[in-house]
Amino acid sequence: DADVTQTPRNRITKTGKRIMLECSQTKGHDRMYWYRQDPGLGLRLIYYSFDVKDINKGEISDGYSVSRQAQAKFSLSLESAIPNQTALYFCATSGWGGYTFGSGTRLTVV
Amino acid sequence: QQQVKQSPQSLIVQKGGISIINCAYENTAFDYFPWYQQFPGKGPALLIAIRPDVSEKKEGRFTISFNKSAKQFSLHIMDSQPGDSATYFCAASIRSGGATNKLIFGTGTLLAVQP
């Protein structure tokens, strides 16, 4: 099994719909992150969490929310999806050895 | 001040050549500078990282050069191979408690190594 698992891998949704992206990790790390990747813009931080009771906004948190259900689980929600949220989304954990990323969720909002 | 600027956006190198990707930062509090490699359909994976107390770190064909006074660091890929074709991201963070803190990423460089 992968260290960081993201579901779904691909998703097409309609404008205005609520959608949740899920992430689970087996690394035992406290720190988890959600990033968004867009061509030419690199990876931008949406939200991060340093433990179950700690949630922090990143540089592009508007339109997104997160939930840290357990040390191993960190989900990202789009309350009302819009087309410019079409992107590749990555979950990651960090510890002594740096970041471990999931394989990503490709989200398309039509 | 939180930005990390990366160049070039894309790079084409012949097999056996040297690939060079550059990054610059502003925040002097950054103390950890990793490079990540990403293949299509995969998440980024840590390639090599450096702390600001050294000027160079080498792992196999990959070398990071770090210039603290200029606030710049670069990735050199020696003897570039077609299998090195990928997107490369530089990043920076302030480590706390020994663990990696939130990373600020550059915009990425798409490297194509031609056979």
Side-chain angles (χ1 to χ4, degrees), chain A residues 26-69:
Chain A
T26 59
K27 299 285 286 185
H29 292 162
D30 288 324
R31 303 180 183 197
M32 298 188 73
Y33 311 82
W34 275 103
Y35 282 86
R36 167 179 172 161
Q37 183 176 2
D38 298 276
L41 296 178
L43 291 148
R44 293 180 292 166
L45 183 62
I46 306 173
Y47 270 96
Y48 62 103
S49 170
F50 284 176
D51 65 44
V52 175
K53 296 181 180 180
D54 176 75
I55 302 289
N56 303 280
K57 292 182 177 180
E59 58 182 308
I60 55 164
S61 59
D62 287 349
Y64 302 94
S65 63
V66 291
S67 173
R68 186 81 185 266
Q69 300 95 326

Side-chain angles (χ1 to χ4, degrees), chain A residues 78-93:
Chain A
L78 286 67
E79 298 301 326
S80 179
I82 57 177
N84 76 358
Q85 291 178 313
T86 293
L88 187 55
Y89 290 85
F90 285 102
C91 174
T93 71

Side-chain angles (χ1 to χ4, degrees), chain B residues 43-89:
Chain B
L46 179 64
L47 185 63
I48 187 173
I50 197 168
R51 300 285 195 97
D53 53 347
V54 297
S55 61
E56 185 175 283
K57 183 174 181 180
K58 183 176 181 179
E59 291 184 2
R61 296 184 293 108
F62 300 91
T63 300
I64 300 179
S65 296
F66 186 82
N67 186 329
K68 188 173 182 178
S69 61
K71 293 185 285 186
Q72 295 176 347
F73 58 111
S74 60
L75 176 69
H76 295 236
I77 306 174
M78 310 300 288
D79 187 26
S80 298
Q81 299 297 311
D84 297 329
S85 298
T87 300
Y88 292 81
F89 293 98

Side-chain angles (χ1 to χ4, degrees), chain A residues 29 94-99, chain B residues 32 46 51 95-100:
Chain A
H29 292 162
S94 72
W96 286 91
Y99 273 38
Chain B
Y32 176 66
L46 179 64
R51 300 285 195 97
R95 288 170 75 92
S96 62
T100 305

